[in-house]
Amino acid sequence: MARRHPKKTSNSPEPRTRRHHQRKDNEAVAEKPKTASSKRWLKAVEKMAASVCRVGSTVGRALTKARSPILLSLRRGQATVTYAQSLLGAPETCLTTLDNGLRIASEETGHGTCTVGLWISCGSRYETEKNNGAGFFLEHMAFKGTKKHPQMALEHQVESMGAHLSAYTSREHTAYYMKTLAKDLPKAVALLSEVLQSNVLSEADIEQQRSVVLKELEEVEGSLQDVCLDLLHATAFQGTPLGHSVLGPSQNARTLSRQDLVDFISSHYKAPRMVLAAAGGVTHEELVGLAKQHFSGVSFEYEDDAVPVLSPCRFSGSEIRMRDDDMPLAHIAIAVEGASAASPDIVPLMVANSIIGSYDITFGGGKHLSSRLARLASEESLCHSFQAFHSSYSDTGLLGIYFVTDKHHIDDMMHWSQNAWMNLCTTVTESDIARAKNALKASLVGQLNGTTPICDDIGRHVLNYGRRIPLAEWDARINAVTPKMVRDICSKYIYDKCPAVSAVGPIEQLPDYNRMRSAMYWLRF
C-alpha cells in the first residue's frame, strides 16, 4: 500500500497570526453584554459541565477501586506510566500440563489479535550427520498440505482468517505459530494441530522442496554474518551436535528421504517436549480446552523406551579461516564458552555484554557514545559495526564479539575487543554497571512489543526454565548485579581462556591464534 506523505507546511508565521486573531475574536465575544438568551445558554453549559464532572469522578473512583497500575499512574501532573508500574502491571502467565505431558502457557493482554503456536524442544542439536537439516526441511514441508486440507485449501483457510502462519528452526528449538484475530483462536489451534499431526509429506512435495531448500542454502551463503557465526559454532563445538548447521549441508538436502523425515518426527515430536503457547486476546481456560480437544492424542511414549538424551557438547579453543581477498570487508567473530540458559551466571554476563554494547557506522554520537569500545570504533574508524552476543543453550553457550571491518583495521579491532574483555575482568566501575543495567532493562522490555514476541518468549522460557520468568524477576536479578560480581563472573568465563575464532574475507591481517590467546590475560604486578 502506498505510504501517504504529509503535506508540506510553510515556515511563514501566518497560521500563528490567524490563531492569535481568533483568540482576539473569542475575547471580543466574551466581552459582549449578556442578554437573556446568552444567560440561559451559559446556565445550560454550566449544568452540562457539572454532570460531566460527576460522571468523571464516578468513573475515576471505579478505576481507582480496580487498582489498575496503568490508570493509577495518571496522577496530577503525571500522564505516563513509570517503569516500575509497567512491571507490576504485566499480565500473569498461566501454565497447565495435560495428562500426556504437553504444557499450555498463555498470557492475556486484551489485544484484539493473538499469537498461538507450538514450541518443541527439537532442533539441529538433535540431528546426526546423516540427517542434519531434517528439522529445517520439515519446516518447509509443514504448510504443503495435511490429510484434511490440501495445500490450496490450507492456504485458503489461513487467508480467509487474515492470519499469518509461520515456523522457524534453531539449534535446540522448533516453532510453528500463527498470528490471527482473537475470535479465530479455535480455528488457529485446529490448523496447527493438523500441520503437526497430519502432515502428508508426499514424495512429490518433498522433491519440489529440495530445490527450494537448496536455493535457500545459496542465499544464506550470501549472508556473511550467518556464515561467520555458523563457522564459529563448527569450530567451537567441533565433533559435537552443536557444531551442526541448522540448515544442514547441501548433500543432505539432496538425499533426505520421506522415511528420514517420518523417523525424525516420531523420535522427537513428543508431548512432554512441546509447549502450546499463546499471547493476546486469549483466555487460558479456552486454550486448555482447545489443547485437550486437539492435542490429547499426541504420543508421550518412545519406541522401545529409547528416550533420546543430549550428549554433552565440549568447547574447543580453535580457529577457522576462510580467506578471500576479493571481498570488500572482513567478518570476524571471537568467543569463549558461555553460561547455559538456566545458569545463575547468565544475568551478570548479560550486563557485561551490555557494557560492551554494539556499534554501527550509521550511528550518531561519535565520541559521545556510552560504550568505550563504540567510542574507539567511531573515533579511530576501527570497524563498520560490532556487537557483543551470548548464545545460550541447555548446558553451554557462546559469549563473544562479532565485528565487520576493512582489511587494514583487523589487528586494531581485535586488540581493542580483547581489551574490552580484560576491562570487564579487572576494572568495571559502578557507573559502567548503572548504564549497562538501564540499557539491558530497556532492551528486555522493548523486545516484547507485540503478541508474537511475547508468545515466542513464553514458549522458549517454558522449554528452558519450566516456567515463564516475569519481567519483575528479571528486573530484580539485574538490580542485584554488582561490579565485583561482573568482574568475578567475567574472570570465570573469559580471563585466560582459550577462544574460538572464525573469520571470513580479506583476513591477512588477522593475528596468529597464539597471539590472540596471549591477549586473553594481562601481566599485572
Side-chain angles (χ1 to χ4, degrees):
M1 183 174 67
R3 182 175 296 175
R4 183 176 298 170
H5 297 282
K7 293 181 179 179
K8 294 183 179 179
T9 57
S10 172
N11 293 327
S12 168
E14 181 182 353
R16 185 163 53 249
T17 306
R18 187 181 297 119
R19 287 196 296 271
H20 177 72
H21 289 319
Q22 182 66 38
R23 186 167 60 250
K24 287 290 185 181
D25 294 340
N26 290 340
E27 290 171 359
V29 170
E31 290 171 0
K32 289 181 180 178
K34 295 178 181 177
T35 63
S37 60
S38 64
K39 288 181 180 179
R40 285 195 300 272
W41 179 78
L42 285 172
K43 285 182 180 180
V45 170
E46 290 172 357
K47 186 176 181 180
M48 184 184 300
S51 64
V52 169
C53 290
R54 284 196 298 272
V55 172
S57 62
T58 304
V59 173
R61 284 195 298 271
L63 294 177
T64 303
K65 185 179 291 187
R67 299 195 63 78
S68 169
I70 294 178
L71 294 171
L72 286 175
S73 69
L74 302 178
R75 302 190 192 97
R76 182 182 302 169
Q78 181 182 357
T80 57
V81 182
T82 66
Y83 172 73
Q85 287 168 334
S86 67
L87 295 182
L88 294 174
E92 180 185 2
T93 301
C94 301
L95 182 63
T96 302
T97 305
L98 298 185
D99 293 336
N100 61 356
L102 186 138
R103 288 163 289 183
I104 303 103
S106 68
E107 177 181 296
E108 185 175 1
T109 62
H111 287 86
T113 60
C114 70
T115 299
V116 60
L118 277 159
W119 272 255
I120 309 169
S121 181
C122 174
S124 61
R125 184 176 180 178
Y126 294 84
E127 300 167 352
T128 63
E129 289 188 8
K130 180 184 176 183
N131 69 353
N132 182 207
F136 181 71
F137 206 106
L138 279 172
E139 175 191 327
H140 280 261
M141 294 297 300
F143 313 124
K144 297 306 172 185
T146 66
K147 294 176 182 177
K148 185 178 178 181
H149 291 92
Q151 181 178 354
M152 291 294 291
L154 180 65
E155 292 175 354
H156 181 266
Q157 281 280 95
V158 175
E159 290 293 331
S160 64
M161 295 161 56
H164 175 74
L165 184 61
S166 189
Y168 73 81
T169 306
S170 66
R171 282 183 164 80
E172 288 191 334
H173 299 149
T174 298
Y176 300 90
Y177 59 94
M178 181 183 291
K179 184 177 178 67
T180 183
L181 295 174
K183 66 181 181 66
D184 291 327
L185 177 66
K187 294 180 183 178
V189 174
L191 286 177
L192 287 170
S193 172
E194 282 190 45
V195 165
L196 191 75
Q197 301 178 75
S198 305
N199 206 310
V200 176
L201 296 178
S202 68
E203 292 287 355
D205 288 336
I206 291 174
E207 293 303 319
Q208 181 188 5
Q209 287 306 303
R210 287 193 200 280
S211 59
V212 177
V213 172
L214 289 170
K215 184 68 175 177
E216 193 160 338
L217 283 169
E218 290 181 11
E219 292 175 357
V220 169
E221 290 295 323
S223 173
L224 294 180
Q225 178 176 350
D226 292 335
V227 172
C228 186
L229 294 179
D230 271 347
L231 290 174
L232 183 67
H233 280 80
T235 190
F237 298 111
Q238 54 188 279
T240 71
L242 265 181
H244 294 159
S245 165
V246 174
L247 280 65
S250 58
Q251 180 61 30
N252 284 7
R254 295 187 180 94
T255 59
L256 280 172
S257 65
R258 182 182 188 279
Q259 190 59 44
D260 292 329
L261 301 181
V262 171
D263 292 343
F264 188 80
I265 292 174
S266 60
S267 299
H268 300 293
Y269 284 24
K270 300 297 183 182
R273 293 168 60 178
M274 295 182 183
V275 175
L276 179 65
V282 299
T283 60
H284 189 68
E285 293 76 13
E286 180 186 11
L287 187 65
V288 171
L290 292 169
K292 289 179 179 178
Q293 178 183 349
H294 296 286
F295 293 101
S296 293
V298 178
S299 173
F300 61 90
E301 297 176 341
Y302 291 88
E303 187 176 350
D304 300 327
D305 291 333
V307 180
V309 178
L310 282 178
S311 58
C313 292
R314 68 183 183 279
F315 177 89
S316 300
S318 54
E319 69 172 357
I320 183 168
R321 303 181 183 220
M322 291 182 60
R323 180 176 172 182
D324 186 348
D325 291 340
D326 291 332
M327 291 183 179
L329 298 171
H331 297 252
I332 300 167
I334 179 170
V336 293
E337 184 173 15
S340 64
S343 170
D345 298 334
I346 193 78
V347 174
L349 290 177
M350 290 165 68
V351 174
N353 265 355
S354 187
I355 291 174
I356 295 178
S358 61
Y359 168 76
D360 189 275
I361 198 170
T362 60
F363 284 4
K367 64 180 181 181
H368 303 293
L369 292 168
S370 55
S371 163
R372 180 170 179 265
L373 184 58
R375 290 198 301 272
L376 284 168
S378 176
E379 292 178 336
E380 306 296 332
S381 300
L382 295 180
C383 66
H384 285 233
S385 66
F386 78 81
Q387 64 183 42
F389 64 89
H390 187 195
S391 302
S392 57
Y393 302 106
S394 58
D395 57 353
T396 186
L398 277 181
L399 176 72
I401 300 174
Y402 163 80
F403 61 88
V404 180
T405 186
D406 61 72
K407 61 184 179 181
H408 302 296
H409 291 91
I410 297 174
D411 193 1
D412 290 339
M413 186 60 195
M414 179 61 75
H415 166 76
W416 287 113
S417 296
Q418 293 184 275
N419 182 269
W421 270 354
M422 294 302 99
N423 284 329
L424 291 178
C425 300
T426 56
T427 59
V428 170
T429 63
E430 287 282 0
S431 61
D432 292 332
I433 295 296
R435 176 186 62 79
K437 285 180 179 180
N438 289 336
L440 181 57
K441 291 175 184 178
S443 174
L444 286 174
V445 174
Q447 67 188 9
L448 302 178
N449 59 350
T451 59
T452 301
I454 293 173
C455 191
D456 183 59
D457 194 58
I458 294 171
R460 290 184 296 103
H461 274 214
V462 175
L463 290 178
N464 288 333
Y465 311 115
R467 65 188 181 96
R468 169 85 182 286
I469 299 180
L471 284 175
E473 185 175 334
W474 281 119
D475 181 71
R477 290 188 185 185
I478 293 170
N479 287 334
V481 175
T482 63
K484 184 179 185 304
M485 190 184 299
V486 171
R487 290 194 295 267
D488 291 345
I489 297 298
C490 288
S491 295
K492 173 183 174 181
Y493 287 93
I494 300 173
Y495 199 82
D496 201 15
K497 302 296 181 184
C498 295
V501 181
S502 65
V504 181
I507 54 173
E508 180 182 9
Q509 201 186 74
L510 184 67
D512 177 74
Y513 182 82
N514 290 320
R515 184 176 159 199
M516 290 185 284
R517 174 63 181 88
S518 66
M520 296 300 290
Y521 61 89
W522 280 350
L523 296 175
R524 294 176 293 167
F525 300 95

